[in-house]
Amino acid sequence: MNKGEEIGTTSWSLLNWLRLRRSTIWILSLQALVLHSSFAVWLLDIRDPLFVQGVYIASMLALAIYALFYVPLPSFFHYFVASYVLLFMLFPLASPWLRLGFFSDEAMGTYTAMTVGGIHIYVCAYELGRRRFEAMESIQLQPTRLGIAVWSILALNLAAIALVVLDAGSLAALASASRVERKLSFDRISLLIVFILNFGSVIYALLPIYLQRKKWSALPIGAALVIVEIGAFLAFRARSTMVNHMVAFAVGAVYLLPAYRQDPDAAASIGRSWRRTLALVALGLVVLSSAITLRFFRGTFEEAGLDGASRLVVTEMVRRSFANGDLGYTPNTLAVMSEVPRRRDYLYGQSYYRLLFIPIPRRIWPDKPENTQRVVAKWISPELVEQTVPPGVQGDLYINFGVWGTIGFALYGFVFAWFDRQRGLFQGLLVAAGFMPTFHLARGALTNPLVLLAAIAASAWALARYVGRSDGSPNA
């Protein structure tokens, strides 16, 4: 091959590479454009509401384009982005109408750079680490083992709830205790119950398949689920278990059930079917509204019992959700960013290196670094007993490394890309049951979500190995 032919071959290979990667280059360019706009708000101290809101709208449009056209559902990517947008990006848009004071806050520019810039660094990292669009594979199950797994895990969950009642002394004592009292009573038994409920959450993704095969079991399974969900809510005064089970069931119904049935379009388009995408979005809205309602139900239930909880007003719930709730976690993050470095020093990575010390009991090492949520609570709400305040994933990175912490979003992008590269039944179960840990990661918690994700991954792997067919034979 002469020199001219060698140059020509090299040029052709480069052209082919560019053609293969043109979507990636376009995606990265779009993300970089929005990222630079967000940092301009911070560097130039731009406080014009129209410009700043334009940055947030452009960011959400770029995220929507990538999420809808480039990443197959369901995925950890969608969980993280949806949680992040709801928690941190709607607040600036609602602020002028609800008079929330976002644009007058001293940390507004820093918040915009960290929040918008960080999520687009996350997208860039995810794009570089993800597998190209591939449809969900058809799944094969062993029906007998599926039945054994369903009833065994439901029985284990019921046993966990019974253990909660015994630990509290009685059902009446459990129902009458406040959230703070339940937190103060949290011990090793409570921790064991949390792991049992989360370890068993993967089975909810397979319930639609089992119920489709055994329709007679709907009534006893439904009764068992009601007991488990009410018991978990009373035990921890938290919505996490119920919401996670709802999401797992929805993913199982919309994606795993068609893959099990091996519908004609399942192998070719199940991950990009608009009908299934819209179905999952609709179910997501149901889950979101349920989560918001449960949050306010929990508070009014403790203050005024069932009678007070029955008088909840929808418009007030929405307003308060934006002001400081599921649709507006911004005030907590702004408060944290206002503290550092003006009144508090940076943590210099304590939030992350403390993970190495988890196995060491605090009674052996009393001065062991505290959970970041406790540190932040002492900063901004020192008067509240046992209060924890997640600072947001971007807030956590900021109080450790300053604005340079946005680079940490790349790690989240690569990790979730690895999760989403997994294949088959294992990946389906892992994604189905992984919503709440991912939500809490976005909200700013770190230790517990990582531990719970590890437990769910182990459960998904074990269940996939037990009920899945390895010989590729059709479902019975």
Side-chain angles (χ1 to χ4, degrees):
M1 180 183 294
N2 59 40
K3 189 173 183 179
E5 290 175 335
E6 184 177 343
I7 293 174
T9 302
T10 302
S11 300
W12 180 252
S13 299
L14 178 61
L15 181 61
N16 281 337
W17 183 86
L18 287 173
R19 284 175 176 171
L20 289 172
R21 303 297 294 183
R22 66 184 181 275
S23 63
T24 295
I25 293 171
W26 184 86
I27 289 165
L28 297 183
S29 298
L30 179 61
Q31 308 306 317
L33 178 64
V34 181
L35 188 154
H36 279 83
S37 300
S38 68
F39 271 80
V41 173
W42 170 61
L43 290 170
L44 302 178
D45 194 25
I46 299 173
R47 294 195 169 265
D48 178 54
L50 288 178
F51 182 87
V52 176
Q53 287 187 316
V55 170
Y56 280 90
I57 292 172
S59 173
M60 286 189 282
L61 285 174
L63 292 172
I65 290 170
Y66 184 71
L68 292 174
F69 295 102
Y70 291 92
V71 184
L73 282 163
S75 74
F76 280 95
F77 174 86
H78 291 95
Y79 287 165
F80 188 83
V81 169
S83 302
Y84 193 85
V85 168
L86 290 171
L87 289 167
F88 305 112
M89 299 183 73
L90 296 182
F91 187 94
L93 300 180
S95 181
W97 290 274
L98 298 178
R99 299 177 183 176
L100 301 174
F102 174 75
F103 296 99
S104 61
D105 193 285
E106 60 180 350
M108 187 274 290
T110 304
Y111 178 91
T112 298
M114 292 294 301
T115 300
V116 178
I119 195 63
H120 291 284
I121 290 175
Y122 166 83
V123 172
C124 291
Y126 185 91
E127 170 63 18
L128 294 174
R130 76 182 177 97
R131 184 191 299 274
R132 288 299 163 266
F133 200 115
E134 295 184 16
M136 180 182 290
E137 299 171 341
S138 295
I139 58 175
Q140 289 81 39
L141 303 175
Q142 301 185 58
T144 302
R145 289 190 173 187
L146 174 61
I148 293 172
V150 166
W151 290 105
S152 297
I153 292 179
L154 282 178
L156 188 63
N157 284 356
L158 287 171
I161 299 304
L163 192 59
V164 169
V165 176
L166 289 174
D167 187 50
S170 67
L171 183 60
L174 184 65
S176 62
S178 68
R179 192 179 186 212
V180 171
E181 288 172 338
R182 291 306 304 160
K183 279 192 172 185
L184 290 173
S185 67
F186 197 92
D187 53 16
R188 292 182 179 179
I189 294 177
S190 303
L191 187 62
L192 173 63
I193 294 165
V194 169
F195 274 100
I196 290 174
L197 293 175
N198 280 275
F199 188 86
S201 59
V202 293
I203 202 64
Y204 286 74
L206 293 180
L207 280 179
I209 296 175
Y210 184 75
L211 292 172
Q212 187 263 341
R213 289 180 49 84
K214 305 287 186 181
K215 294 180 175 60
W216 59 267
S217 62
L219 186 60
I221 286 179
L225 295 183
V226 168
I227 294 172
V228 170
E229 305 307 338
I230 293 177
F233 182 78
L234 291 176
F236 306 110
R237 293 298 194 273
R239 306 159 291 165
S240 299
T241 300
M242 189 180 300
V243 172
N244 207 42
H245 291 169
M246 291 171 67
V247 173
F249 189 89
V251 171
V254 177
Y255 288 95
L256 297 185
L257 180 57
Y260 170 79
R261 287 174 171 170
Q262 300 180 54
D263 290 343
D265 68 329
S269 62
I270 191 170
R272 64 184 352 165
S273 165
W274 283 105
R275 178 171 58 85
R276 292 194 175 91
T277 298
L278 291 174
L280 196 61
V281 169
L283 288 171
L285 292 174
V286 171
V287 171
L288 174 62
S289 59
S290 300
I292 291 174
T293 303
L294 282 170
R295 180 175 186 264
F296 290 98
F297 177 88
R298 179 183 64 198
T300 53
F301 173 75
E302 289 190 3
E303 294 175 3
L306 287 174
D307 182 59
S310 65
R311 294 196 299 268
L312 289 172
V313 179
V314 174
T315 54
E316 180 64 14
M317 286 193 295
V318 172
R319 190 194 68 79
R320 290 172 61 186
S321 292
F322 272 109
N324 191 3
D326 293 326
L327 300 177
Y329 222 75
T330 297
N332 288 335
T333 308
L334 285 171
V336 168
M337 290 179 173
S338 297
E339 289 285 325
V340 178
R342 293 177 180 86
R343 292 177 284 274
R344 312 280 181 175
D345 197 12
Y346 292 107
L347 296 182
Y348 299 108
Q350 176 182 306
S351 299
Y352 309 99
Y353 66 68
R354 72 172 298 278
L355 293 174
L356 300 173
F357 309 141
I358 290 176
I360 304 175
R362 192 166 291 277
R363 66 176 180 273
I364 297 176
W365 185 10
D367 296 327
K368 184 174 75 169
E370 287 189 300
N371 187 301
T372 306
Q373 297 177 81
R374 288 290 304 134
V375 172
V376 170
K378 289 180 178 179
W379 287 357
I380 64 178
S381 302
E383 74 283 357
L384 298 179
V385 181
E386 290 299 311
Q387 174 78 347
T388 58
V389 179
V393 60
Q394 76 280 48
D396 199 9
L397 288 166
Y398 175 78
I399 63 177
N400 280 276
F401 310 112
V403 178
W404 288 103
T406 51
I407 299 173
F409 275 87
L411 179 60
Y412 285 95
F414 285 124
V415 168
F416 284 127
W418 181 86
F419 275 127
D420 288 337
R421 285 202 306 267
Q422 306 310 303
R423 303 298 305 276
L425 181 59
F426 167 67
Q427 193 267 349
L429 295 174
L430 180 61
V431 170
F435 172 72
M436 282 313 299
T438 307
F439 173 85
H440 286 296
L441 276 173
R443 201 173 67 157
L446 185 67
T447 306
N448 291 340
L450 290 179
V451 173
L452 292 178
L453 271 177
I456 289 170
S459 178
W461 179 84
L463 187 60
R465 295 271 297 181
Y466 179 71
V467 306
R469 290 181 182 272
S470 59
D471 57 3
S473 56
N475 296 304

